[in-house]
Amino acid sequence: MLPFVEYAARGEHKASIIWLHGLGDSGDGFLPIAPELKLPDELGVRFVFPHAPEQPVTINGGMVMRSWYDIKSMDAESRADEQGVRESAEKVQQLIDAEIAKGIAPEKIILAGFSQGGVISLHLAPRLSVKLAGVMALSTYMCAPVKLATEAVQNELNIFMAHGNQDPVVPMALGRLAYDTLREQGYDISWQDYPMAHQVCHEELTAIRKWLIATLS
């Protein structure tokens, strides 16, 4: 199973958020956000921040770093290595299965991801045999959007998307393309954008907190 860091539930463990980092980061990168969100103790939320495997990344000169998949080109259609996405999605599914084995119902599990992590989240959640509480996809895009219609098992999902309108790494147009694809499939999806680059801002965290509380209450 993927290694991870966690932020334990306050009181009884009732819900889980599995949060995937972006390229070159680690689970530790988003760990400080867990206490900052100040979720109500009664929700009993445990955060799991897994570390992506270390592998060479083509666009970074083959440098080995934590990555959910290889990026061979910045071209929109081939940016995400589909085989790598599917392999990482299987690893993340093991984390979801582990939470369910602990007694956490799927409808109390949220899959979240930033950038590359968001790609994995948007790929995996619709293809799971169980319906999750929701998906949080930040500053991200989709892998193989044309295959969603034929591969999706879950036709109903609550999806929160947010993006920086000054993002030079993942242009907001790619995020909007993912949003449009998911909306056309009938998912319950919301969109927020902020005057920021490839990052997370305070206003966005406020919106995330509100959505998490509503989704897990």
Side-chain angles (χ1 to χ4, degrees):
M1 190 179 295
L2 290 166
F4 60 85
V5 291
E6 69 172 297
Y7 182 79
R10 296 297 174 252
E12 182 186 354
H13 178 199
K14 301 176 184 176
S16 298
I17 298 172
I18 299 171
W19 194 317
L20 313 181
H21 63 77
L23 176 65
D25 199 359
S26 72
D28 295 292
F30 278 102
L31 181 61
I33 281 181
E36 194 175 330
L37 285 170
K38 294 183 173 64
L39 295 181
D41 291 353
E42 58 268 24
L43 291 182
V45 179
R46 173 183 186 243
F47 287 82
V48 177
F49 299 95
H51 306 302
E54 293 187 347
Q55 58 184 309
V57 176
T58 301
I59 59 157
N60 288 342
M63 186 182 300
V64 174
M65 61 184 63
R66 292 200 181 278
S67 177
W68 295 108
Y69 52 86
D70 189 19
I71 300 177
K72 296 173 182 173
S73 155
M74 294 304 281
D75 179 70
E77 294 191 3
S78 57
R79 178 183 289 225
D81 171 53
E82 187 176 338
Q83 181 180 345
V85 169
R86 292 183 185 275
E87 289 172 357
S88 281
E90 287 181 6
K91 292 183 174 74
V92 174
Q93 185 172 348
Q94 293 175 0
L95 294 173
I96 294 171
D97 292 342
E99 294 305 296
I100 294 172
K102 289 184 176 75
I104 304 303
E107 58 268 24
K108 289 293 184 179
I109 298 174
I110 286 175
L111 186 56
F114 175 82
S115 196
Q116 268 204 345
V119 172
I120 303 299
S121 299
L122 289 177
H123 180 86
L124 176 58
R127 293 167 171 83
L128 285 173
S129 60
V130 295
K131 181 186 174 185
L132 300 182
V135 178
M136 190 167 69
L138 312 177
S139 302
T140 193
Y141 56 104
M142 284 186 76
C143 172
V146 295
K147 296 184 180 180
L148 178 66
T150 56
E151 293 184 356
V153 176
Q154 300 301 326
N155 297 315
E156 295 180 4
L157 266 178
N158 182 1
I159 304 173
F160 174 101
M161 291 194 74
H163 216 108
N165 57 28
Q166 299 162 20
D167 192 333
V169 178
V170 179
M172 194 171 76
L174 290 183
R176 287 295 303 189
L177 178 61
Y179 168 81
D180 290 340
T181 301
L182 291 158
R183 187 183 59 179
E184 287 166 9
Q185 286 299 118
Y187 293 113
D188 177 14
I189 185 167
S190 63
W191 173 271
Q192 294 74 212
D193 57 76
Y194 303 93
M196 63 179 185
H198 196 59
Q199 62 194 96
V200 175
C201 67
H202 178 73
E203 187 181 357
E204 181 181 9
L205 287 178
T206 300
I208 287 171
R209 180 180 187 274
K210 182 179 178 181
W211 180 80
L212 288 174
I213 292 172
T215 303
L216 293 174
S217 293

